[in-house]
Amino acid sequence: MKNKGLLLSFLIIVTSWSWPLAAQQQPHEIVWAANIAPPFHIVSGPYANQGLCDALVDAFKEALPNTKHKVEYLPQLRIGMLWEQEKNICFPCMIHRSNEQELIAFSNPTHTYPTHGIITRPGLVAELIEKYGNPIDLELLLRDQLYRFGQPVGRLYGKLQPLLDEYVIGTPQHIDVSGDTANTSMMSMILSKRLDFTIDYPMVKRFYEETEGRSLAFIPVTQLVGDIILGAVACTKNAWGDDTVRQINEVIPEVQNNPHFIQAQDFWLESSPR
């Protein structure tokens, strides 16, 4: 009986040691919440899997080989809901904003973007510049409510958002465009005169021109002149997210030197819009 008691005690001790060890051997998992919005993430066509954020996620996969990676394509609004529910996800291409720290744990910056501007049809450029300058004073443009503005559902515009909320959101001059092809649909609507302009990065215009073969125009706005837009990874603000961001920060220098990611930036983030 004494030997049996010693054996039982030994098994309990071994189990108490081995269980935490087995738990520690489970790989850390990052669920990358990707939003289908070319050219950030591209899921079809000639540039499939060659978007800027596709390249960024691939670079993190290479830099974190002992981490399990999973990509899920989700609408922007759904991603926000998952953050509110503290589900463990990371959004790879978030604009780094210091005032959004409640639900989001930001990594260090990974890259920079050219600033947003007006994307419109070439035939409307001279009229807009004559009225509102070059760069365009966005507040004057929106205040007049003469031109129809379109945006993807759930899209936000940082420091420009208060102007949009004040002058056009909820008015007949504002149109929300839904679906995975919202950006492409908006550009076609602009060229067919169903919309007059949207606000976005030069690379969104570039993607449309590369894939559709039709030309658009880009005009900078005064409210963003001199701004630097930083991209970063955004993870859920909880213990998992804090640990994930720590691991991500450790490999960002390696990611920034990844040839595939550098190539994607050179192609999509060219400084001078075509």
Side-chain angles (χ1 to χ4, degrees):
M1 292 295 292
K2 184 176 181 180
N3 289 339
K4 287 184 178 180
L6 289 173
L7 177 60
L8 181 60
S9 298
F10 175 75
L11 289 174
I12 291 173
I13 292 170
V14 169
T15 302
S16 68
W17 285 346
S18 62
W19 182 84
L21 180 61
Q24 290 171 7
Q25 290 174 344
Q26 295 296 318
H28 187 78
E29 181 179 30
I30 300 177
V31 176
W32 297 101
N35 181 233
I36 302 177
F40 297 93
H41 293 281
I42 308 172
V43 297
S44 62
Y47 294 102
N49 303 314
Q50 298 179 49
L52 177 70
C53 303
D54 296 323
L56 181 59
V57 171
D58 287 344
F60 276 115
K61 289 179 179 179
E62 291 182 25
L64 294 167
N66 296 323
T67 297
K68 183 179 178 182
H69 299 268
K70 181 181 179 182
V71 178
E72 291 190 3
Y73 293 99
L74 301 168
Q76 190 70 52
L77 291 176
R78 176 65 176 159
I79 293 171
M81 289 174 59
L82 292 174
W83 273 331
E84 290 178 356
Q85 297 166 8
E86 291 195 19
K87 301 298 183 181
N88 295 341
I89 60 171
C90 289
F91 188 69
C93 285
M94 188 77 172
I95 303 304
H96 192 290
R97 299 189 181 102
S98 58
N99 63 340
E100 293 185 3
Q101 302 284 353
E102 184 176 347
L103 298 176
I104 301 170
F106 281 105
S107 74
N108 295 333
T110 52
H111 58 288
T112 61
Y113 294 98
T115 56
H116 293 112
I118 300 293
I119 297 177
T120 187
R121 53 186 171 273
L124 196 54
V125 171
E127 178 180 329
L128 292 177
I129 289 176
E130 182 180 0
K131 288 183 176 181
Y132 309 112
N134 187 10
I136 279 179
D137 187 324
L138 182 63
E139 183 169 10
L140 295 180
L141 168 64
L142 297 176
R143 184 187 297 164
D144 278 355
Q145 296 188 355
L146 297 175
Y147 301 95
R148 290 158 296 182
F149 166 70
Q151 67 177 101
V153 173
R155 184 78 158 85
L156 297 174
Y157 295 93
K159 68 186 292 185
L160 301 180
Q161 192 63 43
L163 295 176
L164 293 166
D165 291 339
E166 181 175 357
Y167 294 114
V168 294
I169 303 300
T171 74
Q173 299 300 89
H174 171 251
I175 298 176
D176 275 324
V177 183
S178 62
D180 294 341
T181 60
N183 280 336
T184 299
S185 298
M186 276 194 311
M187 303 306 159
S188 295
M189 291 169 72
I190 288 170
L191 290 174
S192 65
K193 299 184 180 181
R194 293 169 59 196
L195 286 174
D196 294 311
F197 73 100
T198 188
I199 298 172
D200 223 310
Y201 298 105
M203 68 177 183
V204 175
K205 165 185 173 290
R206 170 92 188 265
F207 177 79
Y208 183 84
E209 292 173 338
E210 291 284 344
T211 55
E212 300 295 323
R214 305 172 69 189
S215 296
L216 291 155
F218 181 92
I219 313 171
V221 297
T222 57
Q223 284 78 6
L224 298 179
V225 170
D227 281 12
I228 297 175
I229 299 180
L230 299 175
V233 177
C235 300
T236 309
K237 185 66 175 176
N238 58 16
W240 173 89
D242 291 339
D243 183 47
T244 300
V245 166
R246 178 188 60 77
Q247 295 183 45
I248 284 172
N249 283 339
E250 289 177 355
V251 299
I252 282 177
E254 181 179 344
V255 166
Q256 291 173 328
N257 288 309
N258 181 284
H260 182 202
F261 183 45
I262 291 172
Q263 183 181 24
Q265 290 180 85
D266 288 344
F267 187 76
W268 294 117
L269 299 182
E270 59 178 5
S271 58
S272 299
R274 291 183 175 183

